[in-house]
Amino acid sequence: RLQRQHLVDRAPAGSLVDVTSELCGLHAQLMSSAELTAWARVDDLGPDDVSRALWEDRSLLKLWAMRGTLHLLTAADYPTFQLALATISESRTKNWLKLLEMTQREVDRVLEAIRVALVDTALTREELAAEVAKRTRSKSLGERVLSGWGSMLKPGSFLGDLCFAPSDGRNVRFTNPYAWLGLDRPETDPADAAREVGRRFLATYGPVTREEYQRWWGAVRTPLQTERFLQSVDGVVEVDLDGTRAFMLEDDVETVASMGKPTGVRLLPAFDVYVVTAPRNDSLVLDPALRDRVYRKSAWFSPVLLVNGRMEGVWKHEKKGKRVIVTVESFASVTPKVKKAAAEEAERLATFLGGTLDLSFSAVNPA
């Protein structure tokens, strides 16, 4: 995982889009986290490179995707991922309808109104709500679009009818993704697209257990359904990880068997994909007693100090004037070599953010 995610050797400058594709997208619930996820892996990434790729080059796209959370996907990958997301049946489940206090007919009317409203324009959330109210002839259905959690926008994103457009001042805007990217809708079978997404995920994150894949994808499936899905992915094999069944691509088995121990120190941001997809119960990756320091309440994932693939601490940063204040808290005493490498990462971060480093380093549980 470290090597495939460019956490042993960084990808060369100019490879932002390629790395985003290899990672199967960047988690973008916080845009700063998406930017720092790329920064941790790509040499000489500029502070405006992600924004430029999104709004000028249109080589990246922002939308609700895996786990119903915001992600950046590459334009080239988008059709495949969108078709795979279309297999998510969340908007058809009784529990979801009960939570929204809506009927399936009402949901369908809202989604159709969103589709038509965004075909050839970009609208703020308020403008989109007004269009939905107009097209459904229902003020209450229009107000559903204003939900702070995007409850009615996520299904539209899964169906390929909605993505983010450049903001209008402080107001976010939405548009049709296929029109924005200048792409035709693909004719691929959604089930085939889902298996292709599974294959790409295994190429970067394998071997994974069925629970780990389910945690990343997020759609409602039973463990057995997830297992059967992974078994259906082209070229997949089952492997034994110290008594735990896992899945990976057969072509990667010999590669993994011949690899040495992982090396390298990184400062990974909040919601980094390595942390999101990591085994939660593997003491080689994180001491189980410290899990709550990384995987916090309200689905918040802390920034971590990663040492040779193991989460050895947490960190935070803030910019005050020209200073970039970085605070690193290791879970135990670390070697001078690790501390030096972490300081070099912090210096690299300060350069990326255009400031002067102010670093403090402490051990939470010193040996």
Side-chain angles (χ1 to χ4, degrees), residues 73-359:
L73 297 176
T74 70
D77 290 340
Y78 172 71
T80 299
F81 275 75
Q82 186 273 303
L83 283 176
L85 289 165
T87 65
I88 296 176
S89 59
E90 182 182 38
S91 64
R92 301 284 174 177
T93 64
K94 293 181 179 179
N95 289 339
W96 190 75
L97 294 174
K98 183 177 180 181
L99 179 65
L100 290 177
E101 298 181 339
M102 296 176 70
T103 66
Q104 187 60 61
R105 174 172 168 72
E106 288 174 328
V107 169
D108 290 343
R109 289 174 66 196
V110 172
L111 293 179
E112 174 62 14
I114 289 173
R115 184 189 68 80
V116 175
L118 294 177
V119 164
D120 57 1
T121 191
L123 300 174
T124 66
R125 190 187 292 253
E126 289 72 19
E127 291 169 342
L128 181 57
E131 280 294 315
V132 170
K134 175 183 176 182
R135 294 176 186 277
T136 61
R137 299 181 181 180
S138 170
K139 181 180 178 181
S140 64
L141 290 183
E143 290 173 347
R144 294 288 185 171
V145 175
L146 299 176
S147 167
W149 296 103
S151 299
M152 287 307 306
L153 301 180
K154 293 178 184 180
S157 181
F158 299 161
L159 293 171
D161 297 325
L162 178 148
C163 71
F164 282 72
S167 296
D168 180 10
R170 297 173 63 90
N171 297 315
V172 299
R173 293 194 304 168
F174 307 103
T175 192
N176 179 278
Y178 285 102
W180 173 253
L181 298 175
L183 298 174
D184 294 326
R185 283 184 176 265
E187 297 180 358
T188 308
D189 181 354
D192 289 340
R195 284 188 286 270
E196 173 61 15
V197 168
R199 188 194 65 78
R200 295 186 190 186
F201 181 82
L202 288 171
T204 298
Y205 298 92
V208 300
T209 65
R210 63 188 188 182
E211 289 79 13
E212 289 164 4
Y213 187 84
Q214 182 64 26
R215 188 183 299 125
W216 172 75
W217 183 245
V220 179
R221 283 192 184 122
T222 67
L224 182 58
Q225 286 173 329
T226 302
E227 181 175 317
R228 288 173 176 169
F229 167 77
L230 289 171
Q231 290 170 335
S232 74
V233 174
D234 186 41
V236 75
V237 293
E238 293 186 28
V239 293
D240 184 288
L241 294 178
D242 293 329
T244 299
R245 291 174 65 230
F247 301 85
M248 66 185 301
L249 298 182
E250 185 175 15
D251 291 346
D252 291 336
V253 173
E254 290 186 9
T255 301
V256 172
S258 65
M259 294 179 72
K261 293 183 178 180
T263 60
V265 175
R266 289 285 196 277
L267 295 178
L268 300 184
F271 303 108
D272 188 89
V273 292
Y274 182 87
V275 179
V276 169
T277 59
R280 304 289 171 88
N281 299 311
D282 191 337
S283 60
L284 293 175
V285 178
L286 174 66
D287 184 342
L290 298 167
R291 189 180 301 131
D292 290 346
R293 293 295 310 275
V294 174
Y295 300 102
R296 293 154 55 190
K297 295 180 180 178
S298 302
W300 186 274
F301 298 168
S302 298
V304 303
L305 168 66
L306 194 71
V307 180
N308 302 334
R310 181 177 171 84
M311 301 180 209
E312 294 282 13
V314 295
W315 65 283
K316 60 184 178 181
H317 79 280
E318 62 177 323
K319 190 172 183 182
K320 287 188 175 181
K322 295 183 178 180
R323 292 190 304 155
V324 176
I325 303 171
V326 178
T327 305
V328 181
E329 294 184 351
S330 63
F331 293 146
S333 294
V334 296
T335 66
K337 183 178 180 180
V338 168
K339 185 176 290 189
K340 179 184 177 187
E344 290 172 352
E345 286 294 289
E347 186 65 58
R348 185 171 174 272
L349 174 68
T351 300
F352 175 74
L353 297 177
T356 302
L357 177 64
D358 184 343
L359 173 65

